[in-house]
Amino acid sequence: MAVRRIRIDRRLLKPWILPRDVDSNKGDFGHVLAAAGSRGMMGAARLCALGALRSGAGLVTMAVPESEYGTAVPWEVMTLPLLSTDGVFSARAVQGVLDFVRARRVSAVALGPGLSTKPGAARFALTLLESLT
């Protein structure tokens, strides 16, 4: 089977990018909360946050384990340090995410990049998913 190559350039993407009003501000383009990262895997969280910015989100906040706060956080995003145990989110950190989502009118939550394979991270992710749906 032959692979078809498509060149992605401005002509291909332009119809998908809507013009922004001159009097708009970053608050008009959504707020993404990236609940991501753990000890040794903050690069994944950083890439997630930068991807959200590059895709057009007006505001991006990285929810990070408090023990990893300040590690590999891009200056373009806001941070939300949450309870952690041994470098990963604590299951008790879910309430911090939920409170933030409600208070800040978050449009989307990105969950997963660099969360770790430790049991605490899995409990955090499952509890958060159940609470958000």
Side-chain angles (χ1 to χ4, degrees):
M1 177 178 202
V3 176
R4 183 174 172 218
R5 295 183 183 205
I6 299 172
R7 182 175 176 186
I8 299 175
D9 58 14
R10 288 182 188 264
R11 284 181 291 133
L12 181 66
L13 296 177
K14 190 168 183 172
W16 294 91
I17 301 172
L18 302 175
R20 293 188 172 189
D21 292 333
V22 294
D23 64 343
S24 62
N25 67 63
K26 61 186 174 184
D28 295 332
F29 301 103
H31 189 168
V32 174
L33 175 65
S38 61
R39 184 168 296 140
M41 292 190 268
M42 290 304 293
R46 185 175 195 273
L47 288 172
C48 177
L50 291 173
L53 283 173
R54 298 277 314 245
S55 69
L59 297 163
V60 177
T61 301
M62 281 178 63
V64 298
E66 64 185 351
S67 62
E68 307 308 305
Y69 179 73
T71 305
V73 176
W75 61 269
E76 301 95 329
V77 302
M78 298 174 288
T79 54
L80 175 64
L82 295 173
L83 294 172
S84 65
T85 304
D86 196 26
V88 300
F89 287 110
S90 163
R92 295 185 336 227
V94 169
Q95 192 58 50
V97 173
L98 297 175
D99 292 345
F100 187 85
V101 166
R102 289 184 192 109
R104 298 290 184 99
R105 295 184 359 198
V106 170
S107 311
V109 175
L111 172 64
L115 275 187
S116 173
T117 57
K118 293 182 180 179
R123 278 193 298 279
F124 167 78
L126 290 172
T127 304
L128 183 58
L129 285 172
E130 289 171 354
S131 300
L132 288 172
T133 56

